[in-house]
PDB file of all heavy atoms in Angstrom:
ATOM      1  N   LYS B 224       8.818 -54.192 -20.688  1.00 93.00           N
ATOM      2  CA  LYS B 224       7.469 -54.170 -21.236  1.00 93.00           C
ATOM      3  C   LYS B 224       7.321 -53.008 -22.221  1.00 93.00           C
ATOM      4  O   LYS B 224       7.834 -51.918 -21.999  1.00 93.00           O
ATOM      5  CB  LYS B 224       6.507 -53.965 -20.065  1.00 93.00           C
ATOM      6  CG  LYS B 224       5.065 -54.219 -20.355  1.00 93.00           C
ATOM      7  CD  LYS B 224       4.285 -54.137 -19.045  1.00 93.00           C
ATOM      8  CE  LYS B 224       2.824 -54.422 -19.212  1.00 93.00           C
ATOM      9  NZ  LYS B 224       2.119 -53.572 -20.120  1.00 93.00           N
ATOM     10  N   ILE B 256      19.654 -77.493 -25.121  1.00 96.00           N
ATOM     11  CA  ILE B 256      19.538 -76.102 -24.699  1.00 96.00           C
ATOM     12  C   ILE B 256      20.024 -75.967 -23.274  1.00 96.00           C
ATOM     13  O   ILE B 256      19.678 -76.783 -22.417  1.00 96.00           O
ATOM     14  CB  ILE B 256      18.063 -75.615 -24.765  1.00 96.00           C
ATOM     15  CG1 ILE B 256      17.486 -75.834 -26.161  1.00 96.00           C
ATOM     16  CG2 ILE B 256      17.963 -74.151 -24.375  1.00 96.00           C
ATOM     17  CD1 ILE B 256      16.081 -75.278 -26.345  1.00 96.00           C
ATOM     18  N   VAL B 260      15.504 -68.959 -19.785  1.00 96.00           N
ATOM     19  CA  VAL B 260      14.644 -68.048 -20.531  1.00 96.00           C
ATOM     20  C   VAL B 260      13.436 -67.781 -19.649  1.00 96.00           C
ATOM     21  O   VAL B 260      12.703 -68.696 -19.307  1.00 96.00           O
ATOM     22  CB  VAL B 260      14.171 -68.681 -21.864  1.00 96.00           C
ATOM     23  CG1 VAL B 260      13.202 -67.745 -22.564  1.00 96.00           C
ATOM     24  CG2 VAL B 260      15.344 -69.011 -22.758  1.00 96.00           C
ATOM     25  N   GLU B 312      -8.740 -69.100 -24.536  1.00 91.00           N
ATOM     26  CA  GLU B 312      -9.469 -68.314 -23.544  1.00 91.00           C
ATOM     27  C   GLU B 312     -10.701 -69.030 -23.031  1.00 91.00           C
ATOM     28  O   GLU B 312     -11.409 -68.491 -22.187  1.00 91.00           O
ATOM     29  CB  GLU B 312      -9.853 -66.949 -24.144  1.00 91.00           C
ATOM     30  CG  GLU B 312      -8.624 -66.143 -24.547  1.00 91.00           C
ATOM     31  CD  GLU B 312      -8.969 -64.732 -24.965  1.00 91.00           C
ATOM     32  OE1 GLU B 312     -10.152 -64.366 -24.937  1.00 91.00           O
ATOM     33  OE2 GLU B 312      -8.027 -64.000 -25.311  1.00 91.00           O
ATOM     34  N   LEU B 339     -13.573 -63.293 -43.507  1.00 94.00           N
ATOM     35  CA  LEU B 339     -13.602 -64.327 -42.472  1.00 94.00           C
ATOM     36  C   LEU B 339     -13.720 -65.709 -43.096  1.00 94.00           C
ATOM     37  O   LEU B 339     -13.161 -66.689 -42.602  1.00 94.00           O
ATOM     38  CB  LEU B 339     -14.808 -64.112 -41.543  1.00 94.00           C
ATOM     39  CG  LEU B 339     -14.679 -63.094 -40.422  1.00 94.00           C
ATOM     40  CD1 LEU B 339     -15.995 -62.997 -39.683  1.00 94.00           C
ATOM     41  CD2 LEU B 339     -13.563 -63.470 -39.458  1.00 94.00           C
ATOM     42  N   ARG B 353      -1.254 -59.909 -43.097  1.00 94.00           N
ATOM     43  CA  ARG B 353      -2.160 -59.239 -42.155  1.00 94.00           C
ATOM     44  C   ARG B 353      -2.990 -60.267 -41.388  1.00 94.00           C
ATOM     45  O   ARG B 353      -3.195 -60.137 -40.172  1.00 94.00           O
ATOM     46  CB  ARG B 353      -3.097 -58.282 -42.904  1.00 94.00           C
ATOM     47  CG  ARG B 353      -2.418 -57.015 -43.394  1.00 94.00           C
ATOM     48  CD  ARG B 353      -3.345 -56.195 -44.269  1.00 94.00           C
ATOM     49  NE  ARG B 353      -2.592 -55.188 -45.015  1.00 94.00           N
ATOM     50  CZ  ARG B 353      -2.409 -53.936 -44.596  1.00 94.00           C
ATOM     51  NH1 ARG B 353      -2.941 -53.535 -43.473  1.00 94.00           N
ATOM     52  NH2 ARG B 353      -1.690 -53.094 -45.293  1.00 94.00           N
ATOM     53  N   SER B 470      30.810 -75.405 -36.237  1.00 91.00           N
ATOM     54  CA  SER B 470      30.979 -76.793 -35.814  1.00 91.00           C
ATOM     55  C   SER B 470      31.615 -76.900 -34.425  1.00 91.00           C
ATOM     56  O   SER B 470      31.541 -77.936 -33.792  1.00 91.00           O
ATOM     57  CB  SER B 470      31.799 -77.556 -36.843  1.00 91.00           C
ATOM     58  OG  SER B 470      33.022 -76.894 -37.035  1.00 91.00           O
ATOM     59  N   CYS B 476      37.302 -64.721 -30.053  1.00 95.00           N
ATOM     60  CA  CYS B 476      36.351 -63.865 -30.756  1.00 95.00           C
ATOM     61  C   CYS B 476      36.051 -64.458 -32.134  1.00 95.00           C
ATOM     62  O   CYS B 476      36.953 -64.657 -32.936  1.00 95.00           O
ATOM     63  CB  CYS B 476      36.921 -62.456 -30.916  1.00 95.00           C
ATOM     64  SG  CYS B 476      35.844 -61.392 -31.908  1.00 95.00           S
ATOM     65  N   GLN B 487      46.422 -60.389 -31.049  1.00 94.00           N
ATOM     66  CA  GLN B 487      46.688 -61.737 -30.553  1.00 94.00           C
ATOM     67  C   GLN B 487      45.622 -62.186 -29.548  1.00 94.00           C
ATOM     68  O   GLN B 487      45.098 -63.290 -29.628  1.00 94.00           O
ATOM     69  CB  GLN B 487      48.084 -61.775 -29.919  1.00 94.00           C
ATOM     70  CG  GLN B 487      48.639 -63.169 -29.762  1.00 94.00           C
ATOM     71  CD  GLN B 487      48.584 -63.975 -31.065  1.00 94.00           C
ATOM     72  OE1 GLN B 487      48.801 -63.465 -32.150  1.00 94.00           O
ATOM     73  NE2 GLN B 487      48.234 -65.256 -30.934  1.00 94.00           N
ATOM     74  N   ARG B 506      30.812 -56.513 -27.084  1.00 95.00           N
ATOM     75  CA  ARG B 506      31.660 -57.658 -26.813  1.00 95.00           C
ATOM     76  C   ARG B 506      32.941 -57.543 -27.640  1.00 95.00           C
ATOM     77  O   ARG B 506      33.068 -58.160 -28.702  1.00 95.00           O
ATOM     78  CB  ARG B 506      30.917 -58.923 -27.224  1.00 95.00           C
ATOM     79  CG  ARG B 506      31.073 -60.064 -26.294  1.00 95.00           C
ATOM     80  CD  ARG B 506      30.111 -61.154 -26.677  1.00 95.00           C
ATOM     81  NE  ARG B 506      29.171 -61.446 -25.612  1.00 95.00           N
ATOM     82  CZ  ARG B 506      29.474 -62.187 -24.569  1.00 95.00           C
ATOM     83  NH1 ARG B 506      30.690 -62.702 -24.444  1.00 95.00           N
ATOM     84  NH2 ARG B 506      28.577 -62.412 -23.640  1.00 95.00           N
TER      85      ARG B 506
END
Side-chain angles (χ1 to χ4, degrees):
Chain B
K224 193 173 182 302
I256 305 185
V260 176
E312 299 188 1
L339 278 177
R353 286 173 195 267
S470 56
C476 175
Q487 198 52 38
R506 221 170 241 281

